[in-house]
């Protein structure tokens, strides 16, 4: 761990972060950590890292909310530590109600939410506090490094990531676009605007948290709350940022350490559905198309949350899509999720290849999978997270599937007559050599059958 701290400080952005002078008069924060059957040593590690790696005067208190765990003695033991207060629930409440309980008990005007399985890194707190002090409507997260579940090895995460999701509303990390990464080279300490927060780790002004409606306390156990609070912050006038100079390690688990009353899938779908119903307007239909089972999950009453949305004059989801997350592809009759690129009875096929692999042609089976392609409004041809790329500007080049970075080699135009021409040079996607070299880019020829493609959407 100490070695990691050392390495972080030696790296370029670590160096740049060290050059920063944080404001002297930062406010103190209440740290809120909820737990339910967390390993005692893991919980202790979290608490100790907060105390050891934060300036003394910036930690007002650590509020531990014991969500009716099987071991009340863990909390009693921890409450002996300086500044630590423990609140125990009388019954299992789940993450959202527990966090609201912790927030209500907090005495500082800045709230810091952490998971019970974290390790704060050197200088993690100051950059976060500085940013929320500058503007209380900004909700900030650290870069979340990975702590291995098996041996507690600390693995630094890339700072070129932000949080996003697809229409199944499952959180995922996304690479910043090439232009954003370019801009960050000059100053890697700049905040990163993120459409979605990963979950448990963020800092928010307490008054703002309350004004914004805290959490949806009718959500149960865990899941979907990061989606809900992310939509709410953006749509109701705030913003979400990742602060790259702040680093907190988080233990990622392969499965949940505790039971989900009602089954984890149903609880997750119910919570997610509540968020979709309140915040997504008609766009929720795309979620239901992606996760059909969610249509049948009862989601309870959302009147309070709808009222909150009206009261705060929150913007519609279309605004969020346009201004915060324009990269999210809106399914249309022209491609979109579940589409394919056809040439007669054959389809463009990833052939099971992955990153940096080429693509081929294979008889259409119309069940998606390796033949699932979509074309975005800005000309990307996507297979899940990968984009069809012309690696070299020359005819005869095999096309590869690479991480979508918005660069010009990934931009295409679907012309009338079926040709798919590269945006910059006059080459078109061609299947004539697919058996030897995969699908290639060849000189455009409107008479060539091997260049004629039909975008076909399965849901239409
Ligand atoms: Mn966690």
């Amino acid at each position: 761990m100490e070695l990691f701290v050392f390495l972080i400080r030696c790296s370029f952005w670590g160096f740049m972060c060290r050059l920063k002078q944080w404001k002297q008069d930062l406010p103190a924060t209440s740290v809120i950590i909820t737990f339910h059957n967390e390993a005692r040593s893991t919980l202790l590690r979290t608490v100790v890292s907060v105390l050891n790696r934060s300036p003394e005067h910036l930690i007002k208190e650590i509020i531990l909310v014991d969500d009716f765990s099987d071991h009340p003695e863990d909390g009693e033991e921890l409450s002996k530590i300086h500044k630590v207060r423990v609140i125990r629930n009388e019954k299992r409440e789940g993450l959202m109600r527990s966090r609201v309980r912790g927030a209500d008990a907090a005495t500082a005007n800045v709230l810091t939410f952490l998971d019970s399985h974290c390790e704060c890194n050197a200088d993690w707190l100051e950059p976060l506090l500085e940013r929320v002090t500058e503007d209380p409507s900004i909700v900030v997260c650290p870069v979340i490094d990975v702590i291995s579940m098996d041996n507690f090895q600390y693995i630094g995460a890339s700072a070129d990531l932000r949080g996003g999701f697809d229409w199944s509303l499952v959180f995922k990390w996304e690479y910043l676009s090439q232009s954003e990464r370019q801009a960050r080279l000059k100053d890697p300490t700049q905040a990163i605007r993120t459409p979605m927060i990963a979950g448990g780790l963020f800092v928010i002004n307490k008054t703002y948290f309350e004004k914004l409606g805290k959490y949806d306390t009718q959500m149960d156990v865990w899941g979907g709350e990061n989606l809900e609070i992310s939509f709410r912050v953006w749509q109701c006038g705030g913003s979400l940022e990742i602060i790259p100079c702040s680093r907190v390690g988080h233990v990622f688990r392969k499965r949940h350490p505790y039971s989900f009353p009602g089954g984890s899938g149903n609880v997750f779908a119910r919570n997610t559905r509540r968020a979709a119903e309140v915040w997504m307007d008609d766009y929720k239909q795309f979620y239901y198309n992606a996760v059909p089972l969610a249509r049948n999950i009862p989601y309870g009453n959302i009147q309070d949350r709808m009222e909150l949305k009206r009261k705060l004059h929150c913007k519609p989801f279309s605004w969020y899509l346009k201004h915060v997350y324009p990269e999210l592809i809106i399914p249309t009759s022209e491609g979109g999720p579940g589409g394919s690129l056809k040439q007669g009875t054959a389809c463009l096929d990833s052939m099971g290849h992955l990153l940096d692999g080429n693509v081929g042609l294979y008889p259409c089976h119309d069940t998606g999978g390796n033949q699932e392609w979509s074309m975005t409004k800005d000309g990307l041809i996507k297979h899940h997270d990968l984009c069809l790329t012309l690696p070299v500007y020359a005819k005869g080049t095999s096309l590869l599937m690479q991480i979508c970075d918005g660069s010009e080699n990934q931009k295409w135009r679907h012309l009338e007559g079926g040709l798919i021409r590269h945006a910059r040079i006059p080459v078109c996607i061609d299947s004539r050599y697919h058996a030897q070299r995969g699908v290639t880019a060849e000189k455009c020829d409107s008479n060539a059958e091997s260049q004629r493609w039909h975008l076909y959407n399965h849901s239409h």
Side-chain angles (χ1 to χ4, degrees):
M1 183 58 215
E2 293 311 318
L3 176 69
F4 177 76
V5 172
F6 174 75
L7 288 175
I8 280 289
R9 289 177 178 195
C10 289
S11 66
F12 173 62
W13 62 263
F15 175 75
M16 294 292 281
C17 289
R18 293 291 293 165
L19 284 182
K20 286 237 167 182
Q21 294 287 317
W22 309 116
K23 276 202 201 83
Q24 287 305 303
D25 53 346
L26 293 171
T29 181
S30 299
V31 178
I32 297 153
I33 301 169
T34 66
F35 67 97
H36 174 83
N37 291 357
E38 184 62 84
R40 190 190 294 188
S41 58
T42 306
L43 184 56
L44 183 65
R45 179 189 290 258
T46 307
V47 171
V48 168
S49 74
V50 170
L51 292 170
N52 284 353
R53 300 232 168 83
S54 316
E56 158 85 33
H57 68 285
L58 294 184
I59 302 293
K60 181 94 184 268
E61 65 207 341
I62 299 178
I63 299 175
L64 295 178
V65 184
D66 173 349
D67 190 12
F68 196 58
S69 71
D70 298 339
H71 300 281
E73 67 278 10
D74 288 357
E76 282 161 27
E77 199 65 33
L78 285 161
S79 69
K80 292 173 189 159
I81 301 174
H82 178 52
K83 293 191 183 181
V84 175
R85 286 163 62 193
V86 180
I87 302 170
R88 182 170 155 86
N89 291 340
E90 297 293 308
K91 61 179 171 60
R92 183 80 188 279
E93 297 286 359
L95 179 82
M96 301 67 166
R97 288 190 291 275
S98 301
R99 284 192 155 187
V100 167
R101 202 167 169 214
D104 289 344
T107 59
N109 197 33
V110 178
L111 306 176
T112 299
F113 291 103
L114 290 179
D115 281 1
S116 54
H117 35 271
C118 287
E119 182 163 344
C120 302
N121 212 310
D123 307 322
W124 71 288
L125 186 59
E126 295 93 325
L128 298 175
L129 292 179
E130 184 171 285
R131 194 69 177 139
V132 284
T133 312
E134 278 167 16
D135 181 346
S137 74
I138 302 178
V139 178
V140 294
C141 315
V143 172
I144 302 174
D145 293 320
V146 177
I147 298 176
S148 156
M149 194 180 65
D150 307 317
N151 55 9
F152 275 82
Q153 194 191 354
Y154 197 106
I155 304 154
S158 165
D160 284 335
L161 298 172
R162 62 172 196 173
F165 56 94
D166 57 25
W167 289 105
S168 66
L169 302 186
V170 172
F171 176 87
K172 61 178 181 180
W173 293 107
E174 286 179 352
Y175 269 97
L176 298 177
S177 71
Q178 198 182 29
S179 57
E180 282 172 301
R181 275 182 287 161
Q182 207 71 41
R184 295 183 47 70
L185 282 178
K186 290 182 206 102
D187 181 6
T189 69
Q190 280 173 58
I192 300 165
R193 282 160 52 95
T194 182
M196 177 88 19
I197 57 172
L201 287 55
F202 63 94
V203 175
I204 187 169
N205 176 288
K206 187 180 188 223
T207 313
Y208 190 62
F209 180 70
E210 285 162 359
K211 181 190 152 202
L212 214 54
K214 302 178 186 180
Y215 267 117
D216 178 354
T217 51
Q218 286 186 57
M219 284 190 176
D220 292 322
V221 197
W222 172 92
E225 83 288 350
N226 57 324
L227 189 82
E228 196 271 340
I229 203 169
S230 298
F231 291 161
R232 185 152 45 90
V233 166
W234 279 116
Q235 288 175 242
C236 307
S239 51
L240 299 173
E241 290 182 355
I242 296 169
I243 307 296
C245 287
S246 173
R247 295 223 160 211
V248 174
H250 172 263
V251 180
F252 285 86
R253 301 171 208 270
K254 294 185 190 101
R255 58 189 174 83
H256 275 271
Y258 48 76
S259 61
F260 274 85
S264 64
N266 284 353
V267 170
F268 185 78
R270 180 182 180 277
N271 291 347
T272 305
R273 190 170 180 196
R274 287 185 68 82
E277 285 289 333
V278 174
W279 297 105
M280 291 176 69
D281 312 324
D282 290 343
Y283 291 88
K284 67 189 176 200
Q285 293 309 333
F286 296 128
Y287 163 60
Y288 294 133
N289 290 345
V291 187
L293 81 90
R295 282 181 214 267
N296 304 319
I297 303 244
Y299 59 93
N301 189 311
I302 54 169
Q303 283 318 306
D304 289 0
R305 303 306 280 178
M306 295 304 277
E307 185 54 43
L308 174 78
K309 187 180 171 184
R310 266 192 299 275
K311 204 181 74 196
L312 295 174
H313 305 291
C314 303
K315 299 184 189 87
F317 197 71
S318 57
W319 177 90
Y320 171 88
L321 285 177
K322 186 159 177 231
H323 296 276
V324 181
Y325 202 19
E327 295 80 5
L328 185 65
I329 306 163
I330 297 163
T332 63
S333 54
E334 280 284 291
S340 56
L341 270 170
K342 285 194 175 184
Q343 199 161 77
T345 56
C347 276
L348 188 69
D349 194 303
S350 71
M351 311 304 281
H353 301 161
L354 302 169
L355 181 66
D356 292 328
N358 63 7
V359 296
L361 205 62
Y362 198 80
C364 296
H365 48 59
D366 294 334
T367 54
N370 291 347
Q371 299 185 350
E372 201 173 305
W373 296 92
S374 60
M375 193 155 184
T376 70
K377 275 191 228 142
D378 46 356
L380 304 177
I381 300 176
K382 296 184 89 168
H383 177 63
H384 305 300
D385 278 352
L386 299 176
C387 275
L388 203 59
T389 307
L390 179 66
V392 184
Y393 286 144
K395 66 177 167 48
T397 306
S398 299
L399 302 181
L400 302 178
M401 293 180 287
Q402 298 190 336
I403 285 171
C404 301
D405 58 13
S407 69
E408 210 169 26
N409 357 23
Q410 298 182 337
K411 301 231 165 110
W412 303 92
R413 279 190 301 154
H414 203 173
L415 307 177
E416 240 172 274
L419 270 58
I420 304 179
R421 182 192 184 275
H422 187 259
R424 170 124 164 237
I425 63 165
V427 294
C428 285
I429 298 179
D430 195 313
S431 67
R432 74 183 74 178
Y433 304 115
H434 78 90
Q436 297 88 41
R437 291 185 276 136
V439 169
T440 56
E442 305 295 340
K443 187 166 182 287
C444 292
D445 173 4
S446 53
N447 293 320
E449 284 297 323
S450 59
Q451 293 189 2
R452 223 167 279 164
W453 301 92
H454 177 56
L455 250 175
Y456 178 81
N457 191 304
H458 297 145
S459 58
H460 286 76

